[in-house]
Amino acid sequence: MKRWDADQESVAETPDLAALAALLADRTRAAICMALLDGGTWTAGELAEYAAVAPSTTTEHLNLLVAGGLLAEERQGRRRYVRLAGPETAETLENLAGLAPYRQVPIRSLAEANHRRALHHARTCYDHIAGALGVAIADAMSERGLLARDYGPVLTAAGADWLAALGIPDAAPPAAHRAHVRTCLDWTVRRHHLSGAVGAALYRHALEHAWLVKAVTTRILTLTAAGRAAFRTQLGLPDEALFPSLTLPAPGG
């Protein structure tokens, strides 16, 4: 047996979890990542305004996030556009938000309170439905046997038939390197909503059929009367899942 030479140079690779955590340890960088969970592409100037920091400071943060692999960038002339690196990044961020402790934040107006209620009720998580509505959809699909969760989330044969009846050919087809069915830990209620290719297909269908309307400048989704009727019929969702709660969400939640 060959003896180990302590002087011999040898290296091994291991995930640097501390480096990833350091990227998100800054609240401005965390806010930028949460804004990009809408699945859109933002300019550096738009993110500077959103985060309420100087453009030069935003540029420094974006450089770190791009170098760290959380963001991807494109340049068109002098303009710089950034987005999340992909759906896996979005799902990781949402899961981390579900595990993060709450912190107290002031609510200064009725408008802000209504915004918070709407955000908790239904919002985008990259390209799928999150919030209390997203959790209710995932729960109802499991209860009706459309999803099986015994060994991780799996679309059942009944689930594939249900999608086909809606006009969705089983998420048609999954993107490369994209899980067919996944779930994210939703920070709204700390339970799971549906993601993956199936979740994205259901979200697209809801937008195309005007069940949901996406806000222009936020991640908020508004459930329409047609959407409430559809989700009642298709999944038996109760009224408490179809309307924003009248109870003000917990600060920081």
Side-chain angles (χ1 to χ4, degrees):
M1 182 175 179
K2 187 176 179 180
R3 294 182 59 189
W4 175 258
D5 184 353
D7 295 328
Q8 178 184 348
E9 290 188 5
S10 180
V11 296
E13 292 188 345
T14 188
D16 192 352
L17 189 59
L20 176 61
L23 282 175
L24 297 172
D26 181 274
R27 286 210 167 101
T28 298
R29 290 196 292 273
I32 287 171
C33 289
M34 292 298 283
L36 291 170
L37 275 173
D38 67 352
T41 301
W42 293 48
T43 67
E46 288 169 338
L47 288 169
E49 184 176 354
Y50 173 85
V53 295
S56 59
T57 302
T58 302
T59 297
E60 293 174 4
H61 288 307
L62 293 180
N63 289 343
L64 289 170
L65 290 168
V66 170
L70 291 179
L71 303 187
E73 68 174 348
E74 300 174 12
R75 292 186 182 269
Q76 296 182 8
R78 298 182 64 183
R79 289 215 166 196
R80 182 189 199 185
Y81 296 88
V82 296
R83 55 178 170 77
L84 291 183
E88 294 82 3
T89 303
E91 290 165 7
T92 297
L93 290 169
E94 185 83 5
N95 284 333
L96 286 173
L99 295 171
Y102 287 168
R103 66 186 179 96
Q104 297 289 318
V105 294
I107 297 174
R108 298 184 175 89
S109 67
L110 179 60
E112 184 178 351
N114 288 336
H115 175 90
R116 184 173 290 272
R117 290 188 184 100
L119 187 69
H120 281 235
H121 178 242
R123 65 181 182 277
T124 55
C125 176
Y126 195 73
D127 61 358
H128 54 270
I129 304 167
L133 177 63
V135 171
I137 290 170
D139 287 348
M141 289 181 68
S142 296
E143 291 165 3
R144 289 175 172 237
L146 309 179
L147 285 179
R149 303 201 195 192
D150 294 341
Y151 302 100
V154 176
L155 187 72
T156 65
D161 290 343
W162 179 73
L163 288 178
L166 285 176
I168 305 173
D170 194 5
H177 309 299
R178 184 78 186 274
H180 186 219
V181 181
R182 290 188 67 177
T183 56
C184 293
L185 180 61
D186 197 291
W187 56 262
T188 304
V189 291
R190 308 226 165 182
R191 295 177 62 200
H192 289 86
H193 62 246
L194 180 66
S195 60
V198 170
L202 183 58
Y203 170 57
R204 288 194 302 271
H205 183 85
L207 287 181
E208 291 166 0
H209 289 75
W211 296 358
L212 293 168
V213 176
K214 186 179 184 301
V216 176
T217 58
T218 76
R219 296 169 56 201
I220 290 173
L221 295 172
T222 299
L223 186 60
T224 65
R228 286 191 289 272
F231 283 120
R232 281 194 191 101
T233 301
Q234 295 294 333
L235 292 172
L237 295 193
D239 282 351
E240 54 265 30
L242 298 174
F243 294 91
S245 172
L246 295 177
T247 303
L248 189 67

